[in-house]
Amino acid sequence: MLDIQRIKQDPDLVKKAINDKGEKNTGLVDQLLEADQKWRDSVHKLDMLRKESNEKAKQIGVLMGQGKKEEAQKIIRETGEMKSQVKDLEEEVKALSSSRDDIMYKIPNIPHPTVPVGATDEDNVVHKSWGDPLKDEWRRPHWEITDEKGWIDFQRGVKVTGAGFPFYVGPVARLQRALINYFINSAVDHGYLELQAPYFVNEDSAKGTGQIPDKEDMMYVIPRDGFFTIPTAEVPVTNFHRDEILETENLPVNYVCYTPCWRREAGSYGKDVRGLNRLHQFDKVELVKFVHPDTSYDELESLREDAERLLEALGLSYRTLLMCTGDMGFTQSKKYDLEVWSPGQQRWLEVSSCSNFESFQARRMMVRYRKEDGKPEILHTLNGSGLALPRVVSAILETYQEESGRVRVPDVLKPWFSGDYL
RNA sequence: GGAGAGAUGGCUGAGUGGUCGAAAGCGGCACCCUGCUAAGGUGUUGAACCCUUCACGGGGUUCCGAGGGUUCGAAUCCCUCUCUCUCCGCCA
């Protein structure tokens, strides 16, 4: 959610943002301004009416206290009509504010000036490349390796739950556990506080981070208890501070949190869902920052570096893309994607997405800090994966496989293994 | 799951229909005093939103777990829900 003041001050900037993000419906801005003005007028009318009614009620109290029953009765009679007027106006204000909010929620975040304007993923800019993408013909995709060794059991996953819910067996199970440990430890070493979060959230939390109403279909629902399974740790961790005012001297507040993630992924098919490429349940270590608005773009760079460092330590080739306006998503103002090279598939796989939301998320959730003058102000939030497990596992299997078929253990993960091979 | 108690400002905690956004204490902030420190004194100290102002500020509305209701008027009465605590049951 954007700041309405900012929209009022510079509607053209917002229209440009809508255009650049490929949303097209720039008319929303004028609709919003109109709806907002109507709401304001109505609120003001209601406030004035309530004021009058409060004054009368007070008078009655005083008169009753003095025993002047008749005069009091006279005023009571006058207030009869006001009551229904107040009620009507309340309804009106409610309706107007919800139609105003409906429009507001449809207006995307404004891209930062450093974000390239573009329509599709073709317009993304390679910000950094690291390592040489391996091209050996003999390298096989991870699913062939794991099928042969019995390291991932997709079939039993289907039997027990359904497609996209595999069992990890033996060495790969251990590999994932090692990665989770390594990722969390690395983040903690760089100033993130480790959290373990609930895997279900309530409706308020799902609203807070914007999963509902927009992206309701991405989540699994537990209707009996009103819960949603989390599609990412971003949801519980960002909501951790919902409706709070953080101590300014504590900023930035950094969290690292491992959770499984559940995503319904309706409509996916083909090579995208082969092997570990796309699952309904997967593990991810998430990094979340609550920061002072002045520092959020510096924090984005350091967040990106925190994620990149992990891939470098693992010795996996990757590239970092600066996403263009059309490919970056509704809520972000700037976003980097990290893509790891999959030698067995000869393609790039997204393993992290590092975003600055500025105040877009925090405003909806009312997460604030205190300015110098002591007044509360919306802060900025960022998050990024650090990292998503399955595709990292694919890349490791495909990068560290030898022609003989064995798979070496990356050096940084050796503390969790007893030998050099999986 | 059963029985009972409760939910008030950063915290503790008063307030059972009328100048209550809410006593008091603690904490925070500012100033004063005491040759430092400790102690003491005075004042100040919630949030959202609307109107007004270039700004400082001023005015107003709402908020005492949430949502409804009664009433001219609700923190206070009624209903529903949520959560917390105690006891019992169950349990990693």
Side-chain angles (χ1 to χ4, degrees):
Chain A
M1 185 166 67
L2 287 175
D3 180 5
I4 183 75
Q5 297 303 337
R6 192 170 172 196
I7 301 175
K8 278 167 87 169
Q9 277 164 19
D10 198 349
D12 290 339
L13 178 73
V14 181
K15 286 179 190 171
K16 182 177 183 326
I18 293 174
N19 246 327
D20 288 348
K21 283 204 166 176
E23 302 268 339
K24 298 298 172 216
N25 44 357
T26 49
L28 283 175
V29 176
D30 295 324
Q31 282 174 43
L32 175 68
L33 295 180
E34 196 188 322
D36 182 63
Q37 194 51 54
K38 274 190 188 162
W39 169 76
R40 273 163 207 275
D41 293 345
S42 200
V43 163
H44 193 234
K45 249 202 293 189
L46 176 61
D47 283 355
M48 292 299 113
L49 194 62
R50 274 180 172 151
K51 179 188 177 187
E52 199 184 332
S53 141
N54 287 344
E55 278 166 355
K56 293 214 159 130
K58 219 167 254 182
Q59 279 176 35
I60 293 165
V62 172
L63 290 173
M64 298 288 255
Q66 296 169 344
K68 297 179 182 168
K69 280 243 167 102
E70 298 209 348
E71 286 178 52
Q73 279 303 327
K74 207 171 125 198
I75 302 178
I76 289 175
R77 258 175 268 128
E78 286 172 24
T79 58
E81 198 178 325
M82 291 180 74
K83 245 185 123 175
S84 67
Q85 275 180 5
V86 166
K87 205 157 236 173
D88 290 349
L89 259 178
E90 278 173 350
E91 299 274 318
E92 187 182 305
V93 167
K94 216 178 196 172
L96 287 174
S97 87
S98 89
S99 62
R100 164 184 177 269
D101 289 348
D102 285 349
I103 303 171
M104 195 107 108
Y105 286 142
K106 286 184 192 149
I107 296 180
N109 202 351
I110 299 170
H112 192 259
T114 55
V115 171
V117 175
T120 67
D121 56 1
E122 312 250 306
D123 301 313
N124 296 333
V125 173
V126 178
H127 178 263
K128 175 174 181 179
S129 291
W130 189 91
D132 293 320
L134 298 172
K135 302 284 190 186
D136 316 288
E137 298 248 331
W138 56 267
R139 290 184 184 272
R140 295 181 294 157
H142 63 275
W143 56 84
E144 286 184 20
I145 302 168
T146 58
D147 279 357
E148 185 185 299
K149 310 257 191 193
W151 284 347
I152 299 179
D153 198 329
F154 289 96
Q155 305 231 316
R156 289 200 175 93
V158 170
K159 176 177 74 180
V160 171
T161 303
F165 292 90
F167 282 82
Y168 304 94
V169 180
V172 168
R174 186 173 195 150
L175 175 62
Q176 298 225 66
R177 181 162 50 84
L179 285 168
I180 292 162
N181 275 299
Y182 178 67
F183 291 165
I184 294 172
N185 288 353
S186 170
V188 169
D189 289 344
H190 285 88
Y192 292 78
L193 182 64
E194 181 174 358
L195 286 183
Q196 288 189 338
Y199 297 165
F200 304 159
V201 293
N202 58 30
E203 198 177 321
D204 285 343
S205 297
K207 274 188 186 146
T209 29
Q211 268 68 33
I212 48 179
D214 310 1
K215 295 185 272 180
E216 202 155 4
D217 287 343
M218 97 187 292
M219 292 185 295
Y220 291 95
V221 187
I222 301 168
R224 183 167 171 177
D225 300 290
F227 296 144
F228 300 85
T229 63
I230 57 171
T232 160
E234 171 194 340
V235 179
V237 176
T238 313
N239 275 283
F240 190 64
H241 288 304
R242 171 154 49 90
D243 298 321
E244 291 182 17
I245 301 174
L246 306 188
E247 294 298 331
T248 307
E249 61 265 30
N250 292 344
L251 299 180
V253 177
N254 301 328
Y255 294 112
V256 55
C257 180
Y258 154 75
T259 68
C261 302
W262 291 275
R263 294 184 184 179
R264 294 183 62 241
E265 303 286 9
S268 304
Y269 62 91
K271 67 174 180 179
D272 283 347
V273 302
R274 202 75 202 270
L276 295 175
N277 287 348
R278 178 156 289 154
L279 301 168
H280 288 305
Q281 175 180 309
F282 64 95
D283 294 299
K284 182 159 62 65
V285 175
E286 185 76 2
L287 308 172
V288 177
K289 285 172 177 273
F290 297 85
V291 311
H292 190 285
D294 291 348
T295 67
S296 69
Y297 283 94
D298 292 337
E299 293 289 345
L300 177 64
E301 299 307 313
S302 91
L303 175 66
R304 172 182 56 73
E305 284 162 15
D306 290 334
E308 287 173 345
R309 194 182 305 114
L310 299 170
L311 290 169
E312 291 172 21
L314 286 167
L316 299 174
S317 305
Y318 72 91
R319 63 180 190 180
T320 302
L321 303 176
L322 173 57
M323 308 302 279
C324 74
T325 53
D327 201 28
M328 69 190 275
F330 186 82
T331 56
Q332 293 93 18
S333 54
K334 185 170 184 176
K335 170 170 133 175
Y336 291 104
D337 270 8
L338 273 60
E339 296 186 335
V340 72
W341 177 251
S342 159
Q345 301 180 72
Q346 293 289 305
R347 56 190 285 229
W348 298 100
L349 300 174
E350 181 189 333
V351 288
S352 178
S353 189
C354 301
S355 308
N356 187 356
F357 301 94
E358 292 195 3
S359 57
F360 200 82
Q361 272 188 337
R363 182 166 298 103
R364 189 188 280 219
M365 284 193 288
M366 288 297 272
V367 189
R368 292 168 291 167
Y369 72 103
R370 282 186 196 281
K371 287 187 296 183
E372 302 243 322
D373 61 5
K375 293 271 177 288
E377 174 101 333
I378 310 284
L379 49 67
H380 284 192
T381 60
L382 303 91
N383 68 47
S385 342
L387 303 159
L389 273 278
R391 293 173 187 167
V392 172
V393 169
S394 323
I396 289 174
L397 293 172
E398 295 171 9
T399 302
Y400 283 83
Q401 66 181 308
E402 296 178 345
E403 241 178 313
S404 64
R406 293 198 297 183
V407 179
R408 278 195 302 120
V409 175
D411 286 342
V412 292
L413 300 182
K414 290 234 167 105
W416 289 277
F417 287 84
S418 48
D420 290 340
Y421 292 89
L422 284 189

